[in-house]
Amino acid sequence: MPGLLHPLHDGHAPIILHNAFQDAIDALEDWELGNDEPVIDVNDRQVAISTVFRRLWTCTDILPSRTLDVVEDLLPLRSAEFKAGTSTYADAAHSLWQLCLQKRAASHEMSQ
């Protein structure tokens, strides 16, 4: 396996990346401002959650409805952009990655 995370295949992610995406969302929900960006275990290695979101930027797999519900809760101002049955991991990954950057910047400001 090249790199830390499995590659996509024709826009599709292996189940390990789907699971990592869900773990990254859970960690993002629990991220308290002032703390470093959370990391999750993937293949017995520590991976920053933003790295997981970035890996899925081109994933064309449809988000499960339970995952979509959490994404909408995390991004209430953008929830109208997401549609059940058509929103992809890529759609959510872009927005969640941006949220990570915002939280990282805010946490950095708080620690100074």
Side-chain angles (χ1 to χ4, degrees), residues 5 14 46-47 61 88:
L5 297 173
Q46 296 281 297
V47 180
D61 297 332
T88 64

Side-chain angles (χ1 to χ4, degrees), residues 35-75:
N35 292 336
D36 291 336
E37 178 179 345
V39 295
I40 60 168
D41 288 323
V42 181
N43 291 328
D44 298 323
R45 300 184 81 176
Q46 296 281 297
V47 180
I49 61 173
S50 61
T51 302
V52 174
F53 298 138
R54 182 65 180 95
R55 171 62 81 185
L56 289 156
W57 265 20
T58 59
C59 181
T60 58
D61 297 332
I62 302 297
L63 280 175
S65 60
R66 69 185 182 288
T67 304
L68 181 60
D69 291 343
V70 177
V71 169
E72 289 175 335
D73 288 345
L74 284 168
L75 301 163

Side-chain angles (χ1 to χ4, degrees), residues 22-44:
Q22 186 62 52
D23 291 346
I25 288 174
D26 293 342
L28 180 59
E29 282 185 298
D30 295 338
W31 185 359
E32 295 181 17
L33 287 180
N35 292 336
D36 291 336
E37 178 179 345
V39 295
I40 60 168
D41 288 323
V42 181
N43 291 328
D44 298 323

